[in-house]
Amino acid sequence: KQEVTQIPAALSVPEGENLVLNCSFTDSAIYNLQWFRQDPGKGLTSLLLIQSSQREQTSGRLNASLDKSSGRSTLYIAASQPGDSATYLCAVNGGFQKLVFGTGTRLLVSP
Amino acid sequence: DGGITQSPKYLFRKEGQNVTLSCEQNLNHDAMYWYRQDPGQGLRLIYYSQIVNDFQKGDIAEGYSVSREKKESFPLTVTSAQKNPTAFYLCASSILAGEGDTQYFGPGTRLTVL
């Protein structure tokens, strides 16, 4: 059974820092991996989707990498801003669009 | 203005009652999903539907029921058989149940059992 773990569970940084969020999964047979953002009491917003054949995806200040063989993905946020404060979730798609989610990393960026 | 709408935003239920959560999408997506989110936990799949009049159980379907009579709508009923229904419920949709498509999420419904 696929299990997804995210470390750290919470992270607090000053504005302007570059930071890395980690996601690991136990079964490397995945179709893709997604990173989502969730603001308190809100739904999820898709940030990046990496297909299993890809190594990384970039969108603005965000860069996500995927190492399927080792079961790891990282989300790199450059020059963090207070508006980046949210919970970040990764999810792996093992088939039929059935996503398995991690428990998330709660990020706080202080001005 | 395309998107996924969920209603109500907050819902209170007495023990022993059934309640229905609404999910509507105007994105012309084929597939729709229901997830449950508990504090400090990731989302867990309740039910999903790839086509009208067809749906499959997810990982935690016990105590829940769904219908898919229209492409745009995928209501979730939380029955009295669900022992711990207090949670945040999220609906999602995707273009089709292919493997390369992202899922788009609604704003969620917070259900509280009194």
Side-chain angles (χ1 to χ4, degrees), chain B residues 26-94:
Chain B
N26 61 4
L27 301 169
N28 199 32
H29 285 175
D30 297 298
M32 297 186 74
Y33 314 82
W34 274 106
Y35 293 90
R36 168 181 172 141
Q37 186 177 32
D38 294 281
Q41 298 191 30
L43 279 69
R44 292 181 289 169
L45 183 64
I46 305 172
Y47 269 98
Y48 65 104
S49 169
Q50 300 177 4
I51 195 170
V52 173
N53 292 323
D54 186 48
F55 47 83
Q56 287 77 41
K57 294 181 179 180
D59 298 321
I60 55 166
E62 185 175 353
Y64 300 97
S65 66
V66 294
S67 63
R68 187 86 187 274
E69 298 177 359
K70 299 186 300 181
K71 187 176 183 178
E72 303 79 17
S73 179
F74 192 40
L76 173 74
T77 296
V78 184
T79 75
S80 56
Q82 170 50 238
K83 298 305 178 188
N84 186 22
T86 294
F88 190 49
Y89 290 86
L90 288 157
C91 177
S93 69
S94 64

Side-chain angles (χ1 to χ4, degrees), chain A residues 31-32 34 36 38 41-44 46 49 51 93 95-99 101-103, chain B residues 33 35 37 40-43 45 48 88 90 97-103 105-107:
Chain A
Y31 286 90
N32 59 54
Q34 282 186 256
F36 292 90
Q38 185 176 32
K42 305 290 186 182
L44 276 64
S46 180
L49 183 151
Q51 303 293 352
N93 175 10
F96 302 103
Q97 274 283 3
K98 293 176 67 176
L99 300 183
F101 283 82
T103 53
Chain B
Y33 314 82
Y35 293 90
Q37 186 177 32
Q41 298 191 30
L43 279 69
L45 183 64
Y48 65 104
F88 190 49
L90 288 157
E99 309 309 346
D101 304 302
T102 191
Q103 292 186 17
F105 283 78

Side-chain angles (χ1 to χ4, degrees), chain A residues 35-78:
Chain A
W35 283 93
F36 292 90
R37 169 186 172 136
Q38 185 176 32
D39 293 292
K42 305 290 186 182
L44 276 64
T45 301
S46 180
L47 298 173
L48 291 164
L49 183 151
I50 311 176
Q51 303 293 352
S52 61
S53 58
Q54 297 176 320
R55 294 294 297 225
E56 64 179 301
Q57 281 285 337
T58 298
S59 176
R61 295 182 293 109
L62 305 180
N63 175 276
S65 68
L66 175 64
D67 184 341
K68 201 172 70 165
S69 61
S70 68
R72 295 178 187 274
S73 176
T74 61
L75 178 66
Y76 175 83
I77 303 177

